[in-house]
Amino acid sequence: MNTEILGIIFMYVLVIAFALPLGRYIGKVLNNEVTWLDKIFNPLDQLFYKLSGINFKKEMNWKQHLIALLTINFVWFLLGMFVLMNMSWLPLNPDQNPSMNAELAFNTTISFICNTNLQHYSGETGMSYLGQLILMLFQFISAGCGITAAAIVFTAMKEKSTEKLGDFYFFFVRSCTRILFPIAIIVASLMVFNGSPMTFEGKITTTTLEGTEQQISQGPVATFVAIKHLGTNGGGFFGPNSAHPLENPNYFTNIIEMVTQMIIPIAIVFAMGYMIKRKKLAWTIFGVMTVGFLLLSIPTIISEIKGNPAISEMGISQTMGNMEGKEIRFGSAASAYWSIATTVISTGSVNSMHDSFMPLSGMNQLLGMMVNCLYGGVGVGFLNFYIFIILAVFISGLMVGRTPEFLGKKIEAREMKIAMIIALLHPFLILVGTALSSYMITNNPEQYGSWLNNPGFHGFSEMLYEFTSSSANNGSGFEGLSDNNPFWNIACGIVMLLARYLPIIGPIAIAGSLAQKRYIPESAGTLKTDTATFGFMIFAIIVIVAALSFFPALTLGPIAEYFSM
């Protein structure tokens, strides 16, 4: 077990070692400063602008940014629906996989343009290679939209007084070409060298040790895996996701994928500090996020290392920990660490089955998504945290009798109303969805009881997890839930739509409103927001909001299951 713990520490240290310089680089890219990749990508960017008729020098206000964001996402939605509903006759389908029906295509398309990648299908049987390529494209551009949204807020934070916040397409193109694409190439190359397929050929037939023939799916897996983690997307090329040996062949690739999914969300925080020239504030935010991450990770790792007490009572040795649903090549500790990283970061990829974790481990996975701002997804993780900053500034100002100010701008009623709406939206979508599904099962078990393979407390947790994952733009699942049916496809699709765009609209609206206000220089009466005290205040606000919103639901699910063991 000591070796496994050392492996976890090594992975986290490696992330921080890469995130610090990457954060500075991202800050330069978004600030339009000179970088060493300019000579390579400037011509490519100019080609995109020329073909699209975009004048990237014409700056937008916050409303124009949102119109551009929503318009381009709607175009991608139409493209995705067309491809997924017509895969059977479109090219690049050597395995003759069928087209999707309307509600599954609706769910899948929304899932991937929303950076959620919730999958109600199994990739090797439910998707052609063209379909996989379209989803791969969405994994780039949805992550690019997340970074762009963060860039708009950063621009508003650094300006003393302005209505113009840069150009949406300028931030978007640079996010894709200068940040996502180069790193994805490196990661994909490492995956290929370690055994992940990169081909457009169909299934191969092999003979097993028992002498029977078996068909093995393949495809452009390496590139798909690279961007799924780099963009905190998480969708699996195969059904088992990163537990599949072709998506995650060995412990080295496990390290690569872990570092890849965590690096940009953490780097974005340091990019903010570089862009607005407030590095101390960036370290304060990083510290709060890290404390929350460790408080979820450490108990989960300990719980999985100890194993299942019900199995121990049977006299069965668990020297490797709770290994149900886990891969031996990763072990219980590394699998537990991944499960928290992927739910906190909102990647949603899995290298083990979360449905098989101990009840309190499942609760920690849920909490990572319920809080949804401890590092979080690419770009949008910071936007969620930004809402808690606004709440903390307002409450702190009232407590000490000072006018609530953040970076020299007064926080007034308009900003607080938007912040509260966004803060309450997340629990509203999760709890209402879970309540509705619970009502349907309890009132008509003959029709809807087939949804759950595990009734009781764990079955409730499965439904709670599905809506939590959808609302957190995560995409992982407790896979004991049968979710490929009209209710779950449509309900989760609607939740993903609302939970993706409203939490982007809200912070950008707040940032745009603050950017237009008169700048007030700091004085002796200014509330400092880059101190440990203020960091503690933000953490307390996060804990209180999460506890008040979700504790009753958690007691009905994982906590009740724990005490019933």
Side-chain angles (χ1 to χ4, degrees):
M1 288 300 175
N2 291 334
T3 305
E4 290 191 60
I5 299 301
L6 288 175
I8 292 170
I9 295 172
F10 174 73
M11 282 188 276
Y12 188 75
V13 170
L14 201 60
V15 167
I16 303 304
F18 284 129
L20 287 170
L22 180 61
R24 181 181 176 85
Y25 169 75
I26 292 174
K28 287 186 173 183
V29 169
L30 300 180
N31 262 345
N32 196 21
E33 298 177 18
V34 177
T35 66
W36 61 280
L37 286 176
D38 286 349
K39 292 182 179 179
I40 300 173
F41 290 109
N42 273 344
L44 182 61
D45 290 357
Q46 293 299 327
L47 177 62
F48 286 142
Y49 298 141
K50 186 175 181 179
L51 292 175
S52 305
I54 293 170
N55 179 11
F56 68 90
K57 295 181 180 179
K58 184 179 179 181
E59 296 193 58
M60 302 177 176
N61 60 34
W62 68 269
K63 294 179 181 178
Q64 291 169 325
H65 275 290
L66 291 176
I67 291 171
L69 170 70
L70 297 175
T71 301
I72 198 169
N73 275 260
F74 180 69
V75 173
W76 295 333
F77 170 76
L78 296 178
L79 172 64
M81 287 292 290
F82 171 77
V83 172
L84 297 186
M85 292 183 67
N86 295 279
M87 290 185 297
S88 60
W89 62 267
L90 288 172
L92 295 178
N93 191 12
D95 298 327
Q96 301 301 309
N97 288 335
S99 301
M100 287 185 175
N101 60 39
E103 84 259 357
L104 180 57
F106 170 79
N107 180 278
T108 305
T109 303
I110 287 176
S111 181
F112 277 80
I113 64 172
C114 289
N115 200 244
T116 308
N117 296 31
L118 186 75
Q119 294 176 291
H120 289 176
Y121 65 93
S122 186
E124 59 266 52
T125 58
M127 194 70 62
S128 70
Y129 290 166
L130 178 61
Q132 298 278 33
L133 289 176
I134 286 294
L135 299 185
M136 193 190 306
L137 170 65
F138 290 167
Q139 291 184 122
F140 270 101
I141 54 188
S142 64
C145 283
I147 297 174
T148 299
I152 297 167
V153 173
F154 296 163
T155 304
M157 291 168 67
K158 76 176 182 178
E159 299 292 344
K160 291 189 175 180
S161 185
T162 183
E163 288 188 5
K164 299 299 182 182
L165 303 174
D167 179 76
F168 173 87
Y169 299 104
F170 175 78
F171 290 137
F172 173 70
V173 171
R174 290 176 73 86
S175 297
C176 293
T177 60
R178 314 299 177 93
I179 300 171
L180 297 171
F181 181 69
I183 305 176
I185 290 294
I186 295 171
V187 175
S189 299
L190 291 172
M191 294 301 299
V192 169
F193 288 133
N194 280 274
S196 287
M198 189 61 205
T199 178
F200 286 101
E201 296 181 2
K203 296 177 181 178
I204 57 174
T205 302
T206 61
T207 303
T208 65
L209 294 175
E210 292 84 2
T212 60
E213 288 189 347
Q214 181 178 356
Q215 289 190 319
I216 300 176
S217 297
Q218 49 182 349
V221 180
T223 52
F224 195 96
V225 170
I227 188 56
K228 93 170 185 179
H229 285 116
L230 185 62
T232 61
N233 298 284
F237 193 94
F238 301 105
N241 208 283
S242 284
H244 195 288
L246 297 184
E247 281 201 44
N248 196 0
N250 51 53
Y251 197 86
F252 177 65
T253 59
N254 196 68
I255 294 175
I256 293 171
E257 294 180 26
M258 175 59 69
V259 171
T260 303
Q261 68 182 292
M262 295 186 73
I263 187 171
I264 292 184
I266 295 177
I268 283 286
V269 177
F270 297 114
M272 180 275 298
Y274 178 86
M275 285 185 69
I276 70 173
K277 295 181 173 55
R278 290 179 178 265
K279 295 182 180 179
K280 192 175 179 182
L281 175 61
W283 280 103
T284 301
I285 294 172
F286 170 73
V288 174
M289 291 178 171
T290 300
V291 169
F293 174 66
L294 293 177
L295 287 176
L296 295 176
S297 298
I298 294 172
T300 302
I301 294 169
I302 293 173
S303 176
E304 296 307 306
I305 287 176
K306 285 184 176 180
N308 190 328
I311 295 178
S312 297
E313 290 176 3
M314 298 168 63
I316 299 174
S317 173
Q318 296 186 83
T319 55
M320 296 180 67
N322 175 29
M323 287 301 295
E324 180 188 341
K326 299 181 178 67
E327 292 292 306
I328 293 177
R329 63 187 188 276
F330 306 139
S332 58
S335 299
Y337 178 67
W338 180 301
S339 76
I340 298 301
T342 196
T343 45
V344 163
I345 297 290
S346 86
T347 305
S349 67
V350 296
N351 71 347
S352 57
M353 294 299 105
H354 290 187
D355 207 28
S356 297
F357 275 67
M358 301 304 298
L360 295 187
S361 299
M363 181 187 73
N364 290 335
Q365 295 161 8
L366 281 163
L367 280 171
M369 295 183 288
M370 288 169 172
V371 172
N372 201 28
C373 67
L374 305 176
Y375 304 143
V378 167
V380 295
F382 178 84
L383 298 190
N384 294 330
F385 196 91
Y386 182 74
I387 293 296
F388 285 107
I389 291 176
I390 299 299
L391 295 177
V393 167
F394 187 81
I395 294 172
S396 299
L398 294 179
M399 290 174 64
V400 299
R402 296 176 181 175
T403 302
E405 296 175 10
F406 181 56
L407 301 180
K409 305 296 179 68
K410 289 184 179 180
I411 307 296
E412 297 176 305
R414 182 185 182 189
E415 292 79 33
M416 277 303 299
K417 288 176 182 177
I418 298 173
M420 283 308 304
I421 289 172
I422 301 304
L424 295 175
L425 174 71
H426 187 52
F428 175 81
L429 293 175
I430 293 170
L431 299 177
V432 168
T434 306
L436 178 61
S437 59
S438 300
Y439 174 82
M440 294 173 70
I441 284 183
T442 54
N443 280 271
N444 195 345
E446 293 183 2
Q447 183 173 353
Y448 303 116
S450 59
W451 288 351
L452 298 178
N453 294 321
N454 301 285
F457 303 128
H458 193 78
F460 178 83
S461 296
E462 289 174 346
M463 294 187 293
L464 177 65
Y465 195 107
E466 189 76 1
F467 280 111
T468 304
S469 179
S470 299
S471 184
N473 295 139
N474 187 270
S476 62
F478 272 9
E479 296 305 335
L481 178 71
S482 298
D483 47 26
N484 185 12
N485 54 62
F487 172 80
W488 288 103
N489 286 333
I490 295 171
C492 290
I494 293 172
V495 168
M496 286 186 286
L497 270 176
L498 296 174
R500 170 65 170 181
Y501 296 111
L502 292 180
I504 289 177
I505 292 171
I508 290 179
I510 292 173
S513 174
L514 294 178
Q516 297 174 31
K517 295 185 178 183
R518 184 172 62 88
Y519 175 76
I520 304 171
E522 289 188 4
S523 65
T526 301
L527 178 69
K528 299 289 185 181
T529 56
D530 55 3
T531 63
T533 302
F534 185 73
F536 176 80
M537 186 66 183
I538 298 175
F539 186 80
I541 296 295
I542 293 172
V543 170
I544 291 169
V545 170
L548 292 178
S549 300
F550 297 112
F551 182 74
L554 292 172
T555 58
L556 295 174
I559 295 176
E561 184 183 358
Y562 170 77
F563 284 110
S564 68
M565 291 184 66

